[in-house]
Amino acid sequence: MTALWWQTCVIYQIYPRSFQDTNGDGIGDLSGIARRLDYLVSLGVDAIWISPIYPSLMVDFGYDVADYCNIDARFGDLTDFDDLLMQAHRRGLKVLLDFVPNHSSDQHPWFVESRASRHNEKRNWYIWRDAAADGGPPNNWISDFGGSAWQWDEVTGQYYYHAFLKEQPDLNWRHPAVQAAMYDVMRFWLDRGVDGFRIDVLWHMVKAADFPDNPPNPTYRFEMGEMHRLLQLHSTDQPEVHRLAAEMREIADGYGARGQGDRVLIGEIYLPVDRLMHYYGGERPEMHLPFNFQLIDTRWDARSLATVITNYEAALPPGGWPNWVLGNHDRPRVAARRGQAQARVAAVLLLTLRGTPTLYYGDELGLSDVMIESSQVRDPRELREPGLALGRDPVRTPMPWDDSENAGFTNAKPWLPLHADWPTRNVARMTQDTQSILALYRRLLALRRACPTLSIGDFVLLNVEDDTLVYERRHDAERMIVALNLGERQHRLQLPDWARGSRLLLSTIEDAALVEDGAVLLGSNEAVVLKAS
Ligand code: TEU
Ligand code: CA
């Protein structure tokens, strides 16, 4: 096969508010990202995905878009964006934007018009319904952020639907004018030269036409958050979404000198694997990469991981390209979930599985979640259902660059506090330390770049025993072995005959494993990559 860039690349997610501030307002900006491009090149990633940078009221920190075709002044302007794009491309880095089609801000001119009167030309651009017979909401649907998903509008006497905050009304994607307007938004950025989009909540975009009640979730527990009281059977993952996804794909495929394969679409979809697979498309292609979040949610033991990987590989449709994600701006960080020692093992896993990996900024430093005092909480998710650990501020804190004031992130007060360990856990310091997790990430990324087997080679599960997981990656004549120790105990692993005489390419620990007599001695929390031939 001839691999395409989005198949061999490693994607790095930037949460722009927290990457690098350059104008002293305590909030990261586009010039800040531009200033740090050389870091990203030296790290060894190939593409960046930037969370939303459009004009926004920042009620949901950019996921409430007030203008799809501009840049929020806090981040810069279109000239800064073009400059960033040019500088990234000059360094061979691809740039992906976050496309938020499911909902806009309630301050978007479209919604301002839509709510002005029942007869407004844009009324049907959003989802308006009469009250139920008792005056209550039209059905029982719950917002992902808790509470009814319906907001009463006094002026026009109807409810509108919002899957997230009331400040984020859902667009009505059944309306052809909405489709046309949003496809133009995609073209606006693709014409400017962006290399693709991560598409926000793709599976939410179409709702059942007759808005039936959602059924109760039999496994609901209070700690899960109110949204889980119901199964989102009718409010998400409707068959009609697939035509829209295919149309988006057709737009993306229409771009680029190299034609098909030049621009990439990644769908944010939280669904079980069998449902997820539909988003690769059927007759017509849809997402290049429907995000695979299973490494975030799975139990962290050898058997569970092996099951997740083999089931996912087996479920992929013909031609469907795999992808793996360890963390993002909505979920606890890998270091917080698994601890520092296993964060290193997780790095090896992420970067030696078949398919496209996405790395969340700061995870390469082992950055952990930051405890946020209740007076400093910014995330509406936390404010609406406090105390359930659903808030996302802890994973969105500033990137620690060096040991100067405010970790080199800003010369003002950062919008969220830094992790207390920033004086030592920062890019400058960890670059000097050959045993740091940052150094490990650099070695892994370099190895992956040098050995296509690690990105595109076949995956073969070799062994799952106690705390150890061993797999092979194979491409043409090259065969590599990855062995992970998910636990504290040492293990002696017998290698298959063909792998006798394997060479150790990389280990997560200083006293690297011994390979002798056709066996590997795997230390506590150690992961290794071997080359057999
Ligand atoms: O997140 C979607 C998402 O994670 C939810 O559907 C999830 O079920 C919910 O957060 C439960 O806590 C995307 C963005 O990544 C997120 O930052 C936005 O807040 C959200 O969509 C709305 O745009
Ligand atoms: Ca700034």
Side-chain angles (χ1 to χ4, degrees):
M1 90 184 232
T2 336
L4 301 163
W5 71 264
W6 54 269
Q7 298 179 307
T8 53
C9 77
V10 176
I11 303 170
Y12 184 93
Q13 181 191 353
I14 292 178
Y15 195 69
R17 293 181 69 90
S18 291
F19 204 55
Q20 176 67 62
D21 176 26
T22 57
N23 65 346
D25 62 358
I27 298 172
D29 39 55
L30 294 183
S31 319
I33 298 175
R35 188 189 288 180
R36 296 299 185 179
L37 288 175
D38 286 332
Y39 165 71
L40 297 172
V41 171
S42 80
L43 180 61
V45 298
D46 310 280
I48 55 175
W49 146 38
I50 312 174
S51 285
I53 48 177
Y54 317 108
S56 169
L57 281 292
M58 300 292 167
V59 188
D60 190 20
F61 295 106
Y63 286 95
D64 48 324
V65 180
D67 177 355
Y68 285 102
C69 297
N70 213 332
I71 301 290
D72 191 279
R74 275 161 282 222
F75 295 125
D77 58 23
L78 280 170
T79 310
D80 296 321
F81 178 76
D82 290 340
D83 181 61
L84 171 62
L85 192 60
M86 190 190 66
Q87 293 207 47
H89 284 168
R90 200 183 278 160
R91 290 168 173 80
L93 290 171
K94 305 280 186 182
V95 178
L96 311 179
L97 287 186
D98 208 313
F99 182 45
V100 191
N102 178 71
H103 44 268
S104 73
S105 160
D106 64 345
Q107 302 302 308
H108 193 294
W110 297 342
F111 188 71
V112 173
E113 278 195 53
S114 185
R115 83 186 318 176
S117 97
R118 287 199 189 201
H119 309 290
N120 189 280
E121 179 247 329
K122 293 214 165 46
R123 184 65 170 181
N124 291 328
W125 282 44
Y126 293 83
I127 298 169
W128 293 95
R129 306 287 286 179
D130 289 333
D134 65 357
N139 67 22
N140 70 351
W141 294 2
I142 297 171
S143 152
D144 276 24
F145 292 159
S148 172
W150 296 94
Q151 176 66 26
W152 177 248
D153 181 61
E154 204 56 64
V155 179
T156 55
Q158 281 190 312
Y159 282 92
Y160 67 85
Y161 176 70
H162 57 91
F164 295 89
L165 300 172
K166 69 178 190 328
E167 293 85 357
Q168 295 168 294
D170 279 44
L171 281 151
N172 174 18
W173 273 87
R174 292 181 183 274
H175 192 342
V178 169
Q179 298 168 14
M182 291 301 274
Y183 294 158
D184 280 346
V185 171
M186 293 178 74
R187 292 188 192 97
F188 175 87
W189 294 104
L190 292 167
D191 285 339
R192 278 197 121 77
V194 307
D195 300 289
F197 299 103
R198 172 269 191 188
I199 304 178
D200 192 58
V201 295
L202 178 65
W203 84 113
H204 268 271
M205 283 175 60
V206 183
K207 342 308 170 184
D210 50 348
F211 294 89
D213 274 357
N214 275 329
N217 173 5
T219 64
Y220 166 69
R221 284 171 290 108
F222 178 77
E223 322 79 80
M224 297 163 110
E226 200 194 350
M227 66 171 284
H228 293 290
R229 204 151 54 68
L230 304 177
L231 299 172
Q232 297 186 330
L233 184 68
H234 303 297
S235 51
T236 67
D237 195 28
Q238 297 300 297
E240 296 91 331
V241 74
H242 293 289
R243 182 176 60 81
L244 302 175
E247 286 172 4
M248 293 183 185
R249 173 63 177 264
E250 208 168 278
I251 292 169
D253 281 352
Y255 277 82
R258 282 168 293 144
Q260 205 262 358
D262 194 51
R263 314 287 173 108
V264 69
L265 297 183
I266 306 175
E268 188 212 21
I269 302 152
Y270 283 96
L271 283 176
V273 169
D274 59 322
R275 305 295 311 164
L276 181 68
M277 292 303 159
H278 293 289
Y279 289 80
Y280 280 103
E283 305 266 276
R284 300 170 70 192
E286 298 177 24
M287 295 299 106
H288 298 83
L289 305 171
F291 259 149
N292 168 20
F293 295 122
Q294 294 179 96
L295 293 183
I296 299 180
D297 290 310
T298 183
R299 291 177 41 146
W300 203 255
D301 60 67
R303 197 152 297 279
S304 305
L305 286 169
T307 306
V308 158
I309 299 163
T310 47
N311 288 351
Y312 176 72
E313 282 272 352
L316 287 166
W321 188 250
N323 79 91
W324 298 95
V325 181
L326 262 189
N328 63 37
H329 64 296
D330 294 329
R331 310 300 304 277
R333 283 186 181 271
V334 60
R337 299 195 311 266
R338 307 297 167 213
Q340 289 300 332
Q342 282 297 314
R344 300 169 76 101
V345 175
V348 174
L349 182 64
L350 177 71
L351 294 170
T352 60
L353 284 174
R354 191 174 80 95
T356 306
T358 302
L359 173 58
Y360 184 49
Y361 89 98
D363 280 356
E364 75 273 35
L365 306 176
L367 185 60
S368 197
D369 292 2
V370 177
M371 263 277 293
I372 308 286
E373 305 265 335
S374 52
S375 65
Q376 291 189 53
V377 170
R378 306 291 302 269
D379 182 19
R381 182 86 187 86
E382 177 66 24
L383 294 169
R384 288 178 58 83
E385 290 186 272
L388 299 183
L390 298 171
R392 301 163 300 178
D393 292 330
V395 309
R396 298 175 173 181
T397 60
M399 180 78 171
W401 293 102
D402 54 42
D403 60 7
S404 70
E405 214 179 330
N406 297 311
F409 165 69
T410 179
N411 51 28
K413 184 173 154 38
W415 77 286
L416 280 178
L418 286 150
H419 196 288
D421 64 9
W422 69 265
T424 50
R425 192 180 299 285
N426 63 60
V427 171
R429 171 75 79 99
M430 295 172 96
T431 297
Q432 303 307 316
D433 174 3
T434 57
Q435 295 309 314
S436 68
I437 184 169
L438 176 60
L440 172 67
Y441 263 100
R442 286 198 160 111
R443 288 201 300 276
L444 274 165
L445 287 159
L447 187 62
R448 194 179 165 93
R449 190 179 296 271
C451 306
T453 299
L454 289 178
S455 47
I456 63 173
D458 292 340
F459 172 91
V460 186
L461 184 66
L462 292 182
N463 194 38
V464 189
E465 228 177 285
D466 305 324
D467 280 333
T468 60
L469 170 63
V470 187
Y471 50 89
E472 180 195 350
R473 301 297 313 283
R474 186 194 304 183
H475 181 59
D476 297 333
E478 188 167 71
R479 301 181 82 168
M480 301 177 80
I481 291 182
V482 181
L484 312 177
N485 186 350
L486 285 303
E488 306 284 329
R489 282 186 27 237
Q490 289 193 18
H491 292 274
R492 184 190 158 83
L493 300 175
Q494 195 59 44
L495 292 171
D497 278 348
W498 56 262
R500 291 188 76 91
S502 289
R503 276 191 303 121
L504 179 73
L505 296 184
L506 177 142
S507 164
T508 52
I509 63 174
E510 199 161 356
D511 301 316
L514 288 176
V515 188
E516 54 179 29
D517 300 334
V520 190
L521 288 176
L522 204 57
S524 160
N525 294 303
E526 180 175 15
V528 295
V529 182
L530 311 176
K531 186 163 151 59
S533 56

